[in-house]
Amino acid sequence: MNNNKSNTLRGLLFGAGFIAVAAFIFTGCPSQQSMLDSRDAAEKVYVAPGEHDEYYGFFSGGYSGQLSVWGLPSARFLKVIPVFSQDPETGYGYSEETKPLLMTSYGFIPWDDSHHPHISQTDGDADGRWIYINANNTPRIARIDLQTFETKEILELPNTGGNHASSFVTSNSEYVIGATRFSIPYEMDLDVPIDSYSEEFRGALSFIALDPETGMMEMDFQILVPPYNYDLGRAGKGPSSDWVFFTTYNTEEAHTLLEVNASRNDKDYVAAINWKRAAELVRNGAGETMSAEYYHNYYEGNQGIAINVVKDQVTVLTPEDGQNFIYFMPTPKSPHGVDIDPSGEYIVAGGKLATVIPVHSFSRMLDAIENERFEGHVEGIPILDYDATIIGEVENPGLGPLHTEFDGRGYAYTSVYISSEIVKWSLETFEVVDRIDAYYSIGHLMITGGDTRNPDARYLVGLTKTAKDRYLPTGPKQNHPAQLYDISGDRMQLLLDFPTIGEPHYAQAIRADIVTPNVKQIYEMEENDHPHALLRVADNRIERDGDTVRVYMSSTRSHFRPDNIEGVRVGDTVYIHLTNLEQEWDVVHGIAIKGANNSEILVAPGQTKTMKWEPTRTGIFPFYCTAFCSALHQEMQGYIRVSAADSDVALTWSTGGN
Amino acid sequence: MISQKPLLTLLTIILFIPAFHACGGEETSDRQQSQPQTEEATLTEFELEHGIGPVTERIEIGDIDLDKVAEGRNIYEMKCEMCHNYQGRMVGPELGNVMERRSPEFVMNFILNPSGMVREHPVGQELLREYMTAMPFQNVQKDEARAIAEYLWYYHKENN
């Protein structure tokens, strides 16, 4: 079957005639699928104009660094939430308020690679309050507030090389976890030969405590672990909710050509950590305080300006025999995902180089720990006997199983990368019951309401890595696709195939009615605590302090106040503090100044944002509103006169001759 | 290749006709009911004189309540003044003498239901034609609108 499929693919890509390709594109129907006819599929995803989708889908941006928001099942694109990358569309990472969010111990970083969004949970179900997402490259975790769909906080993770196994929350949002993908010398900035890998390099698993009221993050402790690669993680559920699990690969401890050198053992490990026990040990003084440098960036108050708090130490717990909080479970080679079923009992690893999908049992794992069924120890960590924890191996899952989610009705769905398909299998018999193609090369998949105790398993979204012939061609590089499947029946059925933004790795979907009651329509002016807010037009003004000029400006349909400014000089640093005085939903104003080496700034109703501008030439500089705000939007403009550095033009401002 | 085009067009049409047909029946009765009502004839005498909105009964402005005046002034400066002068038109009409022209209920309803007023009330429609900018709702609550009315009443008394 796999051969047939790859032949079909190759034929489509390279050999087929125009009609074959055209028919494929126009019908959107793969040839050999269990596929609804177009009309039935269209009805299932049709959401009438003005009506709303049933689910929010949050798709990571991958190398865009952002998080995109979609309505499901229609696949309406709703917005991009900028997180780890600058976004000139909104001014995120360009405005003075948001620039501090992108500060790290390495300085200002305009980009990252965002992989795994995870919605905060209460009692093991997504509660829709916040969504956390990891930065893979310069290790960080961000918190996005789902009242405003804005990034409110970013925490850097010290001693971490690539925060990939992140940002998964525990079932009552006690912790969000992170881990090093690339082991590195644990002590900061240690300059050692790379071939001292086994001696000097170590992994760090991060446990970030979450404030139950605000969702704010605090680095609680790290666990020092052997120098493997830590790939993905998940928290337990129900009976296993005190535990988190990480996959490891490269237990060979290779530091070069991992493709070959990290594929030699026949098993790697799932690390099982009792986080409650680890936290207790830390509370009782088992940890060690080590120096570290990492940034914690967040807003103080309602909005205002993000601040940087630089931390200089972290608590580190090094496993020792007899502490009983961390174990390794051997699992078939190079596992990617480690996924916990809704009951909390089954721990499914996706061994991308394995021929089976291994299913471990949480209760058997506890028995094995109790009875000390260890096959060895590594760096103070007991290695459990494979046969003691395994409860099933799913045969014939396709080539390269990666990630699994569950429907809560007794079935699991695993994405299979190399053979590019999704397999559905039974948690009772561990046998494959259905399979369906993915277009092409599927990475993660997600089920609506997935990774919770009560999945709302209507739909499944497959996040695939290459589009090739699926859409109208857009050059050598095309956007990554996603496919929506109906999984409410016995067979999976493909409903929709749509291009996404960036390179989605993982996504989560939540019932919209959990989120929408809390979504804000405006920033209430009475609650604007920005230090440079302009809350009444009579206070519009300009203040000069040496070379620093602060313009306190307001916007209302359809004018700025002030809109005529004189007395700015070359060499000044000008801050335009623009307050949008509108209190009506979705009435946004923006500002752009000719020649400013900056992006525009968009300002939501009731919000204050600041554009920094350093004029380098004399002259008259027009500025205007960038958001089409009203019938008189085109009249919404102003002029700033810039004079020579030694000029004595007085600082004046006016609007409408007042 | 050119000769394939009519075939493809036909294929596209054939495929899309059922899709549109399937979606055509989805119009809900909710949407049909949400058409704006524009007929003046449906307005009551109260609405014609005092506006359409949450204020449906006459309001007494008796002795000036200076606390209420201060509250109203605070909100007025934060949420109204950027578009209205006391004397002379700006984005919207002058308001220094508005209490001479309109009832307090009318002013409150305009503050609390501006989109309804410009859509459904003949005076609102006329004002929109004159000023070409629809007044926005500024997230003002009913008791706050009452305080603004108190302030404008006081302003008018003090300045005439």
Side-chain angles (χ1 to χ4, degrees):
Chain A
M1 180 184 167
N2 294 323
N3 276 343
N4 287 345
K5 195 179 303 163
S6 64
N7 285 339
T8 309
L9 179 61
R10 200 173 301 126
L12 278 172
L13 296 180
F14 302 110
F18 179 77
I19 293 175
V21 174
F24 190 81
I25 292 170
F26 278 110
T27 60
C29 297
S31 49
Q32 75 272 37
Q33 285 305 303
S34 135
M35 173 74 197
L36 296 166
D37 69 39
S38 295
R39 177 171 165 171
D40 289 346
E43 271 188 30
K44 288 200 172 192
V45 300
Y46 181 72
V47 176
E51 303 285 321
H52 292 175
D53 279 290
E54 200 178 338
Y55 298 93
Y56 282 103
F58 296 96
F59 291 32
S60 76
Y63 45 52
S64 87
Q66 318 294 43
L67 180 69
S68 61
V69 190
W70 303 77
L72 298 175
S74 75
R76 280 181 191 163
F77 165 63
L78 301 176
K79 85 184 308 185
V80 167
I81 302 171
V83 186
F84 294 114
S85 297
Q86 285 180 299
D87 179 41
E89 178 183 335
T90 56
Y92 179 88
Y94 293 94
S95 68
E96 294 305 295
E97 288 73 14
T98 53
K99 282 194 311 201
L101 289 172
L102 300 182
M103 281 298 294
T104 73
S105 62
Y106 300 89
F108 179 85
I109 297 185
W111 169 90
D112 216 298
D113 184 12
S114 61
H115 278 229
H116 311 115
H118 209 245
I119 300 167
S120 56
Q121 295 196 350
T122 302
D123 295 332
D125 284 321
D127 60 23
R129 295 200 289 169
W130 307 288
I131 189 160
Y132 295 87
I133 188 166
N134 63 318
N136 187 36
N137 182 46
T138 302
R140 286 168 286 172
I141 295 177
R143 178 174 57 87
I144 291 140
D145 188 333
L146 291 181
Q147 291 187 350
T148 56
F149 286 59
E150 286 183 331
T151 303
K152 293 294 190 188
E153 180 186 7
I154 293 181
L155 175 70
E156 187 180 358
L157 309 190
N159 306 315
T160 302
N163 179 36
H164 191 269
S166 187
S167 51
F168 306 101
V169 298
T170 55
S171 59
N172 272 302
S173 301
E174 296 96 340
Y175 283 95
V176 60
I177 58 177
T180 201
R181 172 177 165 199
F182 314 109
S183 282
I184 53 171
Y186 191 79
E187 274 178 61
M188 286 212 342
D189 302 338
L190 197 61
D191 175 12
V192 294
I194 295 170
D195 66 8
S196 68
Y197 186 95
S198 291
E199 298 77 47
E200 299 286 356
F201 291 37
R202 284 297 171 273
L205 310 178
S206 295
F207 290 78
I208 295 124
L210 302 179
D211 184 295
E213 296 304 315
T214 63
M216 293 270 288
M217 298 180 277
E218 188 190 349
M219 175 62 75
D220 196 17
F221 61 92
Q222 292 188 316
I223 301 174
L224 198 65
V225 284
Y228 309 148
N229 291 43
Y230 295 82
D231 199 6
L232 275 163
R234 284 288 195 196
K237 300 178 178 71
S240 56
S241 57
D242 292 350
W243 294 73
V244 298
F245 304 88
F246 293 98
T247 45
T248 70
Y249 62 104
N250 190 25
T251 50
E252 296 87 347
E253 303 184 8
H255 55 78
T256 181
L257 197 63
L258 268 65
E259 183 177 27
V260 175
N261 293 334
S263 299
R264 290 190 171 141
N265 296 346
D266 70 307
K267 290 201 171 49
D268 288 303
Y269 302 126
V270 168
I273 293 116
N274 185 325
W275 59 262
K276 220 168 225 178
R277 173 92 183 116
E280 264 172 34
L281 286 165
V282 168
R283 295 291 96 81
N284 294 332
E288 183 188 353
T289 301
M290 292 179 73
S291 64
E293 187 190 355
Y294 57 103
Y295 271 56
H296 187 196
N297 312 323
Y298 55 90
Y299 290 97
E300 277 186 317
N302 294 322
Q303 39 169 310
I305 303 168
I307 59 165
N308 301 129
V309 176
V310 185
K311 306 278 191 162
D312 60 7
Q313 57 185 37
V314 61
T315 303
V316 178
L317 185 61
T318 306
E320 288 171 19
D321 282 347
Q323 283 179 322
N324 302 328
F325 73 92
I326 180 168
Y327 303 89
F328 281 143
M329 284 193 282
T331 204
K333 192 61 196 159
S334 296
H336 203 40
V338 53
D339 299 294
I340 319 303
D341 86 305
S343 75
E345 166 64 8
Y346 297 115
I347 303 155
V348 180
K352 63 179 184 271
L353 301 182
T355 53
V356 296
I357 301 171
V359 184
H360 301 270
S361 151
F362 177 69
S363 50
R364 286 174 64 100
M365 183 194 90
L366 291 185
D367 285 347
I369 292 168
E370 177 80 29
N371 298 315
E372 301 198 350
R373 289 188 60 182
F374 304 147
E375 61 175 51
H377 284 74
V378 55
E379 299 195 10
I381 301 170
I383 302 168
L384 299 173
D385 178 6
Y386 178 71
D387 293 326
T389 65
I390 204 81
I391 193 167
E393 289 179 338
V394 182
E395 302 279 348
N396 192 23
L399 293 178
L402 291 185
H403 303 281
T404 301
E405 291 215 349
F406 307 89
D407 64 9
R409 300 185 289 261
Y411 294 98
Y413 302 73
T414 301
S415 58
V416 187
Y417 180 80
I418 300 169
S419 52
S420 190
E421 61 186 327
I422 297 165
V423 295
K424 175 181 178 180
W425 50 275
S426 162
L427 281 167
E428 205 172 301
T429 63
F430 304 113
E431 283 173 356
V432 172
V433 298
D434 190 21
R435 58 204 318 148
I436 194 166
D437 281 356
Y439 305 91
Y440 298 102
S441 305
I442 184 170
H444 277 266
L445 52 73
M446 71 93 156
I447 283 175
T448 46
D451 194 40
T452 67
R453 293 194 73 186
N454 298 290
D456 195 24
R458 296 269 304 280
Y459 305 104
L460 181 151
V461 174
L463 301 155
T464 50
K465 298 299 174 192
T466 48
K468 298 195 188 287
D469 56 2
R470 295 301 287 176
Y471 318 118
L472 288 174
T474 54
K477 167 77 185 79
Q478 311 207 83
N479 277 21
H480 283 222
Q483 282 109 39
L484 182 81
Y485 301 87
D486 181 347
I487 56 165
S488 60
D490 290 341
R491 306 290 309 274
M492 294 177 275
Q493 290 172 320
L494 177 61
L495 300 179
L496 202 59
D497 184 345
F498 56 101
T500 62
I501 293 190
E503 185 216 6
H505 281 257
Y506 182 51
Q508 285 222 296
I510 182 170
R511 262 196 2 252
D513 63 15
I514 300 172
V515 175
T516 50
N518 302 321
V519 177
K520 278 179 174 264
Q521 298 191 340
I522 57 166
Y523 285 96
E524 293 190 3
M525 225 183 263
E526 293 85 346
E527 293 175 6
N528 185 335
D529 57 3
H530 192 294
H532 301 293
L534 177 73
L535 294 181
R536 50 204 68 232
V537 286
D539 295 341
N540 81 90
R541 65 194 185 278
I542 302 180
E543 293 174 356
R544 174 183 282 284
D545 179 9
D547 293 337
T548 299
V549 175
R550 292 186 184 278
V551 180
Y552 293 83
M553 184 183 278
S554 71
S555 60
T556 312
R557 281 164 287 177
S558 303
H559 60 279
F560 293 104
R561 214 180 259 263
D563 67 3
N564 278 213
I565 296 167
E566 301 199 358
V568 172
R569 301 177 201 134
V570 170
D572 282 346
T573 298
V574 182
Y575 294 97
I576 311 275
H577 302 295
L578 180 63
T579 302
N580 180 350
L581 295 179
E582 308 277 359
Q583 289 287 272
E584 191 171 312
W585 191 15
D586 205 22
V587 178
V588 173
H589 295 291
I591 188 168
I593 303 171
K594 182 189 171 188
N597 298 109
N598 207 339
S599 84
E600 60 143 358
I601 305 294
L602 276 191
V603 191
Q607 205 175 28
T608 302
K609 290 282 181 196
T610 303
M611 175 191 262
K612 182 180 177 183
W613 174 49
E614 294 168 301
T616 54
R617 287 152 66 167
T618 60
I620 300 296
F621 290 78
F623 63 93
Y624 71 101
C625 177
T626 48
F628 204 117
C629 56
S630 72
L632 298 172
H633 160 71
Q634 206 67 351
E635 281 71 13
M636 193 161 173
Q637 64 162 59
Y639 289 110
I640 303 178
R641 174 182 172 190
V642 177
S643 303
D646 58 356
S647 137
D648 56 3
V649 173
L651 195 61
T652 57
W653 60 93
S654 63
T655 315
N658 294 336
Chain B
M1 213 150 139
I2 288 165
S3 64
Q4 301 286 358
K5 273 190 177 169
L7 180 65
L8 284 176
T9 308
L10 185 65
L11 181 65
T12 310
I13 291 167
I14 289 166
L15 284 169
F16 276 75
I17 284 172
F20 282 118
H21 183 71
C23 306
E26 296 286 323
E27 189 79 0
T28 66
S29 54
D30 275 2
R31 289 189 56 75
Q32 281 155 1
Q33 282 165 7
S34 72
Q35 298 299 318
Q37 297 165 3
T38 50
E39 290 170 34
E40 290 167 26
T42 62
L43 298 188
T44 63
E45 206 165 302
F46 180 92
E47 287 172 330
L48 277 172
E49 187 172 349
H50 304 297
I52 309 160
V55 183
T56 54
E57 287 174 358
R58 293 307 312 270
I59 279 167
E60 287 264 325
I61 299 192
D63 295 337
I64 293 292
D65 175 345
L66 284 176
D67 287 343
K68 201 171 272 183
V69 166
E71 184 198 346
R73 178 177 180 164
N74 186 42
I75 301 161
Y76 180 89
E77 289 180 348
M78 190 183 283
K79 298 189 169 181
C80 313
E81 198 176 12
M82 61 280 213
C83 290
H84 295 279
N85 286 333
Y86 293 104
Q87 273 120 34
R89 66 176 280 167
M90 211 217 316
V91 179
E94 63 179 7
L95 294 181
N97 59 359
V98 67
M99 285 302 172
E100 211 170 84
R101 290 177 281 128
R102 316 278 182 217
S103 73
E105 299 83 0
F106 184 96
V107 171
M108 286 174 67
N109 278 327
F110 221 116
I111 293 169
L112 296 168
N113 180 32
S115 60
M117 284 294 287
V118 298
R119 199 171 60 230
E120 293 163 29
H121 196 281
V123 175
Q125 291 165 351
E126 178 57 34
L127 285 167
L128 180 61
R129 275 193 291 274
E130 186 179 346
Y131 289 89
M132 294 299 290
T133 298
M135 178 163 133
F137 177 62
Q138 284 288 83
N139 195 31
V140 174
Q141 306 309 309
K142 193 171 172 181
D143 58 330
E144 295 173 327
R146 175 67 185 81
I148 294 168
E150 189 86 7
Y151 169 62
L152 289 171
W153 183 266
Y154 170 81
Y155 183 92
H156 179 56
K157 288 254 181 272
E158 290 295 300
N159 291 282
N160 282 285

